[in-house]
mmCIF file of all heavy atoms in Angstrom:
data_model
loop_
_atom_site.group_PDB
_atom_site.id
_atom_site.type_symbol
_atom_site.label_atom_id
_atom_site.label_comp_id
_atom_site.label_asym_id
_atom_site.label_seq_id
_atom_site.Cartn_x
_atom_site.Cartn_y
_atom_site.Cartn_z
ATOM 1 N N HIS A 1 51.551 -270.636 50.894
ATOM 2 C CA HIS A 1 50.509 -271.178 50.024
ATOM 3 C C HIS A 1 49.506 -270.114 49.622
ATOM 4 O O HIS A 1 49.059 -270.067 48.478
ATOM 5 C CB HIS A 1 49.796 -272.312 50.750
ATOM 6 C CG HIS A 1 48.597 -272.835 50.017
ATOM 7 N ND1 HIS A 1 48.692 -273.715 48.966
ATOM 8 C CD2 HIS A 1 47.284 -272.561 50.165
ATOM 9 C CE1 HIS A 1 47.477 -273.985 48.516
ATOM 10 N NE2 HIS A 1 46.614 -273.294 49.230
ATOM 11 N N PHE A 2 49.156 -269.211 50.554
ATOM 12 C CA PHE A 2 48.109 -268.266 50.264
ATOM 13 C C PHE A 2 48.570 -267.048 49.482
ATOM 14 O O PHE A 2 47.777 -266.397 48.842
ATOM 15 C CB PHE A 2 47.473 -267.768 51.576
ATOM 16 C CG PHE A 2 46.510 -268.734 52.163
ATOM 17 C CD1 PHE A 2 46.782 -269.365 53.351
ATOM 18 C CD2 PHE A 2 45.326 -269.019 51.520
ATOM 19 C CE1 PHE A 2 45.888 -270.252 53.895
ATOM 20 C CE2 PHE A 2 44.422 -269.905 52.056
ATOM 21 C CZ PHE A 2 44.700 -270.520 53.243
ATOM 22 N N CYS A 3 49.844 -266.706 49.535
ATOM 23 C CA CYS A 3 50.230 -265.401 49.025
ATOM 24 C C CYS A 3 50.658 -265.427 47.570
ATOM 25 O O CYS A 3 50.768 -264.385 46.944
ATOM 26 C CB CYS A 3 51.348 -264.801 49.883
ATOM 27 S SG CYS A 3 52.935 -265.634 49.697
ATOM 28 N N ILE A 4 50.908 -266.586 46.987
ATOM 29 C CA ILE A 4 51.492 -266.622 45.645
ATOM 30 C C ILE A 4 50.536 -266.103 44.585
ATOM 31 O O ILE A 4 50.785 -265.095 43.937
ATOM 32 C CB ILE A 4 51.957 -268.047 45.298
ATOM 33 C CG1 ILE A 4 53.089 -268.450 46.242
ATOM 34 C CG2 ILE A 4 52.426 -268.123 43.852
ATOM 35 C CD1 ILE A 4 53.554 -269.869 46.053
ATOM 36 N N GLY A 5 49.406 -266.795 44.386
ATOM 37 C CA GLY A 5 48.498 -266.400 43.322
ATOM 38 C C GLY A 5 47.775 -265.097 43.608
ATOM 39 O O GLY A 5 47.502 -264.323 42.695
ATOM 40 N N ASP A 6 47.460 -264.850 44.899
ATOM 41 C CA ASP A 6 46.635 -263.696 45.219
ATOM 42 C C ASP A 6 47.377 -262.374 45.101
ATOM 43 O O ASP A 6 46.747 -261.320 45.110
ATOM 44 C CB ASP A 6 46.075 -263.831 46.658
ATOM 45 C CG ASP A 6 45.106 -264.999 46.762
ATOM 46 O OD1 ASP A 6 44.545 -265.367 45.721
ATOM 47 O OD2 ASP A 6 44.923 -265.517 47.865
ATOM 48 N N THR A 7 48.687 -262.393 45.029
ATOM 49 C CA THR A 7 49.428 -261.143 44.951
ATOM 50 C C THR A 7 49.718 -260.728 43.517
ATOM 51 O O THR A 7 50.333 -259.695 43.282
ATOM 52 C CB THR A 7 50.768 -261.259 45.716
ATOM 53 O OG1 THR A 7 51.496 -262.379 45.211
ATOM 54 C CG2 THR A 7 50.532 -261.418 47.206
ATOM 55 N N LEU A 8 49.268 -261.539 42.528
ATOM 56 C CA LEU A 8 49.462 -261.174 41.132
ATOM 57 C C LEU A 8 48.512 -260.043 40.765
ATOM 58 O O LEU A 8 47.361 -260.027 41.167
ATOM 59 C CB LEU A 8 49.198 -262.382 40.226
ATOM 60 C CG LEU A 8 50.149 -263.567 40.427
ATOM 61 C CD1 LEU A 8 49.729 -264.707 39.510
ATOM 62 C CD2 LEU A 8 51.587 -263.165 40.137
ATOM 63 N N ALA A 9 48.981 -259.105 39.960
ATOM 64 C CA ALA A 9 48.153 -257.972 39.555
ATOM 65 C C ALA A 9 48.493 -257.582 38.131
ATOM 66 O O ALA A 9 49.522 -257.986 37.585
ATOM 67 C CB ALA A 9 48.382 -256.786 40.498
ATOM 68 N N ASP A 10 47.615 -256.772 37.527
ATOM 69 C CA ASP A 10 47.839 -256.343 36.155
ATOM 70 C C ASP A 10 49.027 -255.379 36.070
ATOM 71 O O ASP A 10 49.752 -255.342 35.096
ATOM 72 C CB ASP A 10 46.588 -255.656 35.601
ATOM 73 C CG ASP A 10 45.439 -256.641 35.442
ATOM 74 O OD1 ASP A 10 45.731 -257.846 35.277
ATOM 75 O OD2 ASP A 10 44.290 -256.197 35.476
ATOM 76 N N GLN A 11 49.194 -254.533 37.091
ATOM 77 C CA GLN A 11 50.318 -253.609 37.105
ATOM 78 C C GLN A 11 51.616 -254.384 37.316
ATOM 79 O O GLN A 11 51.604 -255.542 37.658
ATOM 80 C CB GLN A 11 50.135 -252.573 38.211
ATOM 81 C CG GLN A 11 48.899 -251.690 38.038
ATOM 82 C CD GLN A 11 47.642 -252.333 38.559
ATOM 83 O OE1 GLN A 11 47.698 -253.402 39.157
ATOM 84 N NE2 GLN A 11 46.517 -251.690 38.323
ATOM 85 N N GLN A 12 52.716 -253.682 37.117
ATOM 86 C CA GLN A 12 54.026 -254.284 37.313
ATOM 87 C C GLN A 12 54.692 -253.663 38.536
ATOM 88 O O GLN A 12 55.458 -252.704 38.425
ATOM 89 C CB GLN A 12 54.902 -254.069 36.058
ATOM 90 C CG GLN A 12 54.382 -254.766 34.816
ATOM 91 C CD GLN A 12 54.433 -256.279 34.966
ATOM 92 O OE1 GLN A 12 55.344 -256.825 35.574
ATOM 93 N NE2 GLN A 12 53.452 -256.960 34.394
ATOM 94 N N PRO A 13 54.396 -254.160 39.727
ATOM 95 C CA PRO A 13 54.997 -253.582 40.930
ATOM 96 C C PRO A 13 56.477 -253.916 41.022
ATOM 97 O O PRO A 13 56.948 -254.871 40.416
ATOM 98 C CB PRO A 13 54.214 -254.251 42.070
ATOM 99 C CG PRO A 13 53.772 -255.552 41.485
ATOM 100 C CD PRO A 13 53.507 -255.284 40.027
ATOM 101 N N SER A 14 57.170 -253.120 41.807
ATOM 102 C CA SER A 14 58.589 -253.366 41.994
ATOM 103 C C SER A 14 58.796 -254.602 42.859
ATOM 104 O O SER A 14 57.878 -255.026 43.566
ATOM 105 C CB SER A 14 59.230 -252.161 42.686
ATOM 106 O OG SER A 14 58.768 -252.068 44.029
ATOM 107 N N PRO A 15 59.986 -255.196 42.827
ATOM 108 C CA PRO A 15 60.262 -256.345 43.700
ATOM 109 C C PRO A 15 60.017 -256.020 45.167
ATOM 110 O O PRO A 15 59.537 -256.868 45.932
ATOM 111 C CB PRO A 15 61.731 -256.653 43.420
ATOM 112 C CG PRO A 15 61.938 -256.178 42.021
ATOM 113 C CD PRO A 15 61.090 -254.939 41.896
ATOM 114 N N PHE A 16 60.324 -254.778 45.567
ATOM 115 C CA PHE A 16 60.094 -254.384 46.960
ATOM 116 C C PHE A 16 58.599 -254.392 47.274
ATOM 117 O O PHE A 16 58.175 -254.896 48.324
ATOM 118 C CB PHE A 16 60.664 -252.987 47.219
ATOM 119 C CG PHE A 16 60.369 -252.466 48.596
ATOM 120 C CD1 PHE A 16 61.090 -252.904 49.702
ATOM 121 C CD2 PHE A 16 59.344 -251.541 48.789
ATOM 122 C CE1 PHE A 16 60.801 -252.426 50.968
ATOM 123 C CE2 PHE A 16 59.054 -251.058 50.061
ATOM 124 C CZ PHE A 16 59.784 -251.498 51.148
ATOM 125 N N ASP A 17 57.794 -253.823 46.360
ATOM 126 C CA ASP A 17 56.341 -253.810 46.574
ATOM 127 C C ASP A 17 55.784 -255.230 46.665
ATOM 128 O O ASP A 17 54.904 -255.509 47.476
ATOM 129 C CB ASP A 17 55.644 -253.069 45.429
ATOM 130 C CG ASP A 17 55.906 -251.568 45.472
ATOM 131 O OD1 ASP A 17 56.205 -251.067 46.563
ATOM 132 O OD2 ASP A 17 55.825 -250.925 44.413
ATOM 133 N N CYS A 18 56.312 -256.113 45.815
ATOM 134 C CA CYS A 18 55.874 -257.512 45.852
ATOM 135 C C CYS A 18 56.201 -258.150 47.198
ATOM 136 O O CYS A 18 55.384 -258.877 47.758
ATOM 137 C CB CYS A 18 56.554 -258.303 44.732
ATOM 138 S SG CYS A 18 55.931 -257.928 43.086
ATOM 139 N N ALA A 19 57.403 -257.860 47.690
ATOM 140 C CA ALA A 19 57.822 -258.444 48.962
ATOM 141 C C ALA A 19 56.955 -257.945 50.103
ATOM 142 O O ALA A 19 56.527 -258.717 50.973
ATOM 143 C CB ALA A 19 59.289 -258.122 49.230
ATOM 144 N N VAL A 20 56.666 -256.641 50.100
ATOM 145 C CA VAL A 20 55.833 -256.062 51.157
ATOM 146 C C VAL A 20 54.422 -256.629 51.083
ATOM 147 O O VAL A 20 53.834 -257.014 52.098
ATOM 148 C CB VAL A 20 55.793 -254.520 51.039
ATOM 149 C CG1 VAL A 20 54.743 -253.940 51.988
ATOM 150 C CG2 VAL A 20 57.164 -253.937 51.341
ATOM 151 N N SER A 21 53.863 -256.701 49.863
ATOM 152 C CA SER A 21 52.511 -257.233 49.693
ATOM 153 C C SER A 21 52.425 -258.677 50.153
ATOM 154 O O SER A 21 51.478 -259.074 50.829
ATOM 155 C CB SER A 21 52.099 -257.119 48.216
ATOM 156 O OG SER A 21 50.831 -257.697 48.013
ATOM 157 N N ALA A 22 53.434 -259.474 49.792
ATOM 158 C CA ALA A 22 53.446 -260.881 50.189
ATOM 159 C C ALA A 22 53.552 -261.011 51.700
ATOM 160 O O ALA A 22 52.898 -261.865 52.308
ATOM 161 C CB ALA A 22 54.600 -261.609 49.512
ATOM 162 N N GLU A 23 54.352 -260.151 52.323
ATOM 163 C CA GLU A 23 54.524 -260.216 53.777
ATOM 164 C C GLU A 23 53.221 -259.871 54.491
ATOM 165 O O GLU A 23 52.828 -260.546 55.450
ATOM 166 C CB GLU A 23 55.625 -259.262 54.224
ATOM 167 C CG GLU A 23 55.878 -259.308 55.730
ATOM 168 C CD GLU A 23 56.927 -258.321 56.193
ATOM 169 O OE1 GLU A 23 57.456 -257.575 55.346
ATOM 170 O OE2 GLU A 23 57.216 -258.286 57.411
ATOM 171 N N VAL A 24 52.552 -258.828 54.015
ATOM 172 C CA VAL A 24 51.294 -258.421 54.633
ATOM 173 C C VAL A 24 50.246 -259.511 54.453
ATOM 174 O O VAL A 24 49.524 -259.872 55.381
ATOM 175 C CB VAL A 24 50.794 -257.091 54.033
ATOM 176 C CG1 VAL A 24 49.375 -256.775 54.528
ATOM 177 C CG2 VAL A 24 51.744 -255.958 54.410
ATOM 178 N N LYS A 25 50.174 -260.048 53.226
ATOM 179 C CA LYS A 25 49.213 -261.115 52.950
ATOM 180 C C LYS A 25 49.462 -262.321 53.849
ATOM 181 O O LYS A 25 48.528 -262.886 54.439
ATOM 182 C CB LYS A 25 49.338 -261.525 51.476
ATOM 183 C CG LYS A 25 48.497 -262.725 51.067
ATOM 184 C CD LYS A 25 47.025 -262.417 51.107
ATOM 185 C CE LYS A 25 46.233 -263.594 50.562
ATOM 186 N NZ LYS A 25 44.768 -263.374 50.686
ATOM 187 N N ALA A 26 50.728 -262.701 53.972
ATOM 188 C CA ALA A 26 51.073 -263.844 54.799
ATOM 189 C C ALA A 26 50.722 -263.587 56.260
ATOM 190 O O ALA A 26 50.232 -264.474 56.968
ATOM 191 C CB ALA A 26 52.562 -264.163 54.659
ATOM 192 N N ARG A 27 50.972 -262.357 56.725
ATOM 193 C CA ARG A 27 50.695 -262.038 58.126
ATOM 194 C C ARG A 27 49.198 -262.048 58.408
ATOM 195 O O ARG A 27 48.754 -262.531 59.456
ATOM 196 C CB ARG A 27 51.290 -260.671 58.460
ATOM 197 C CG ARG A 27 51.074 -260.237 59.905
ATOM 198 C CD ARG A 27 51.508 -261.279 60.896
ATOM 199 N NE ARG A 27 52.904 -261.669 60.720
ATOM 200 C CZ ARG A 27 53.517 -262.578 61.459
ATOM 201 N NH1 ARG A 27 52.847 -263.224 62.405
ATOM 202 N NH2 ARG A 27 54.782 -262.866 61.245
ATOM 203 N N VAL A 28 48.406 -261.528 57.466
ATOM 204 C CA VAL A 28 46.952 -261.539 57.647
ATOM 205 C C VAL A 28 46.432 -262.975 57.701
ATOM 206 O O VAL A 28 45.607 -263.324 58.538
ATOM 207 C CB VAL A 28 46.259 -260.755 56.517
ATOM 208 C CG1 VAL A 28 44.742 -260.963 56.560
ATOM 209 C CG2 VAL A 28 46.579 -259.264 56.640
ATOM 210 N N GLU A 29 46.942 -263.819 56.804
ATOM 211 C CA GLU A 29 46.515 -265.221 56.798
ATOM 212 C C GLU A 29 46.931 -265.914 58.094
ATOM 213 O O GLU A 29 46.177 -266.717 58.650
ATOM 214 C CB GLU A 29 47.115 -265.958 55.592
ATOM 215 C CG GLU A 29 46.581 -265.494 54.248
ATOM 216 C CD GLU A 29 45.141 -265.928 54.007
ATOM 217 O OE1 GLU A 29 44.582 -266.654 54.838
ATOM 218 O OE2 GLU A 29 44.583 -265.533 52.961
ATOM 219 N N ALA A 30 48.142 -265.616 58.574
ATOM 220 C CA ALA A 30 48.614 -266.225 59.821
ATOM 221 C C ALA A 30 47.751 -265.773 61.001
ATOM 222 O O ALA A 30 47.402 -266.572 61.876
ATOM 223 C CB ALA A 30 50.081 -265.874 60.051
#
């Protein structure tokens, strides 16, 4: 729930970067 909207950015990160960012965000929230 927390990682979807907050990981959007103006740049176009790679799918790998998105996955890493989402994982870190999810872990911090957890």
Side-chain angles (χ1 to χ4, degrees):
H1 173 80
F2 281 113
C3 70
I4 295 176
D6 294 336
T7 55
L8 297 177
D10 293 334
Q11 298 83 6
Q12 296 294 324
S14 69
F16 175 78
D17 289 336
C18 287
V20 170
S21 177
E23 181 183 1
V24 171
K25 174 68 174 175
R27 181 52 56 181
V28 170
E29 293 288 356

